[in-house]
Structure formats: structure tokens, C-alpha cells
Amino acid sequence: GAVVSQHPSRVICKSGTSVKIECRSLDFQATTMFWYRQFPKQSLMLMATSNEGSKATYEQGVEKDKFLINHASLTLSTLTVTSAHPEDSSFYICSARGRGLGNTIYFGEGSWLTVV
Amino acid sequence: TQLLEQSPQFLSIQEGENLTVYCNSSSVFSSLQWYRQEPGEGPVLLVTVVTGGEVKKLKRLTFQFGDARKDSSLHITAAQPGDTGLYLCAGVVWDSGYALNFGKGTSLLVTP
């Protein structure tokens, strides 16, 4: 099946710094990518939807200036958490839909962000 | 906005027992998916149900999609410790570019 890879799987950063998480579709062209955030023992909350070559659509309550999403190519989307604070510590998961793969959505392995 | 309500949120049972997890919404979904997630990993798709009234079986797991396509259930027969995990239902929202909206999840613990 199609593979979506996230990097890094775990990252620790200092409060006030920025951190970038990458989401790559390894064997298909991802026309749409989705970013989710999951706090411990909670469900996945959709943050934003990004289509290749266009600006991301953010869900209500998600600060677009804080969570910068770039989907510059059909195989890569990045989420940059700017000026990170401890409350941004969370599990971030991306998923992707691919050209020619119907409506199936493929998930990455997730990235643990800890802000200290 | 939580489109999907899952119940129960937590379930602790003994090996061999049966259980049912429910996923309800006031919205109609074109399809509903069930996922299982282990701690620190991404969710893994178990099944997709598309047709109202559809029933799908995956070994000891039985999935049902409501006739009106607003609700779904997951039934596990003779639960085993390996079934322990977070079970999530998710529905496709058409006007969000096929984004999946997840229920809050059901955390299942099966003890030997």
C-alpha cells in the first residue's frame, strides 16, 4: 500500500524556537495532505488541509501564523510550529490522499513534539 | 466541532468478553472508517463502510453502518489482550477536501 513518512518522529525544542515537521508520500503523489494534532489520551483533531500549490485551509481555532503549512510539491508537506510553547507539545500526524488512489487516506507515523 | 460521538470512552474488560463501541452523528457521511491506534503511532485503518446497513467482518471484529449513514458500531467477540488500543471512528467530510473528522475514541483495555 501507499506509504506516508513523517520526520522527525520525536523532537524536543526550547520554548520560543521554531520546529519543522516533514510529511512525505513515498510512492504516490499526494494531491491533498492533512495535519492533525493529538494530545495524550485524546482523539485526532484536524488542524488544516493543504492542497499542492495552494494555501492551506485551517480549521477554526488553529492559528495560521503559528502553524505554518507548506505543500510545495506533490510528495512533501511541512508543518512549522513557530515560537513554540510548552502547550504546543503534542503528537502531530499527517495524512494524505493520492492521485489515482480514490478516497483512501494514508497516515504517517506521527511526530512527537516536546517543548521545554 | 465534534461531528462524531463515540461511546464508551473507556472500556476495561477481561479476555473472552464481548464488547460494542458506538459512533454516532447528526450528520450523514458518505463513508465511515474505523481505526486502531497504538500509543505513539499513527492510526491504522481497520475498515471502511460505505453503504447504509452494510456489515463487514474482520475476524472477530464486526462493523456495521447505520441505514441512514449517521452511525456505526464495532463489535468485538471474545476479546483478547492484543485487542487493547484506542479505537477511532472517522467520517469523511465532503467540503473539507475529503478530510477525516475523528470521534473522541474508545480506549480499550483487555486483561488476561
Side-chain angles (χ1 to χ4, degrees), chain A residues 58-78:
Chain A
Y58 290 80
E59 295 299 301
Q60 193 172 8
V62 178
E63 301 173 58
K64 59 182 67 176
D65 294 331
K66 180 171 182 60
F67 298 99
L68 301 179
I69 291 173
N70 184 285
H71 190 169
S73 78
L74 281 172
T75 58
L76 174 64
S77 176
T78 59

Side-chain angles (χ1 to χ4, degrees), chain A:
Chain A
V3 177
V4 175
S5 178
Q6 273 184 249
H7 177 81
S9 56
R10 290 181 180 273
V11 58
I12 300 174
C13 71
K14 290 185 176 181
S15 186
T17 63
S18 297
V19 60
K20 181 186 289 186
I21 300 171
E22 294 184 347
C23 178
R24 292 183 185 274
S25 58
L26 298 186
D27 51 2
F28 67 99
Q29 293 181 326
T31 51
T32 307
M33 283 187 169
F34 309 93
W35 285 95
Y36 293 85
R37 178 168 53 184
Q38 184 177 32
F39 291 108
K41 298 186 178 181
Q42 294 187 25
S43 187
L44 284 72
M45 295 301 296
L46 180 65
M47 298 175 67
T49 301
S50 75
N51 293 297
E52 186 265 339
S54 61
K55 290 183 178 180
T57 301
Y58 290 80
E59 295 299 301
Q60 193 172 8
V62 178
E63 301 173 58
K64 59 182 67 176
D65 294 331
K66 180 171 182 60
F67 298 99
L68 301 179
I69 291 173
N70 184 285
H71 190 169
S73 78
L74 281 172
T75 58
L76 174 64
S77 176
T78 59
L79 166 67
T80 301
V81 183
T82 63
S83 187
H85 289 131
E87 55 266 31
D88 298 325
S89 299
S90 184
F91 192 48
Y92 291 87
I93 306 175
C94 72
S95 65
R97 286 184 66 234
R99 184 169 294 162
L101 298 178
N103 295 334
T104 303
I105 296 175
Y106 300 90
F107 281 85
E109 315 96 323
S111 299
W112 279 107
L113 169 64
T114 303
V115 184
V116 297

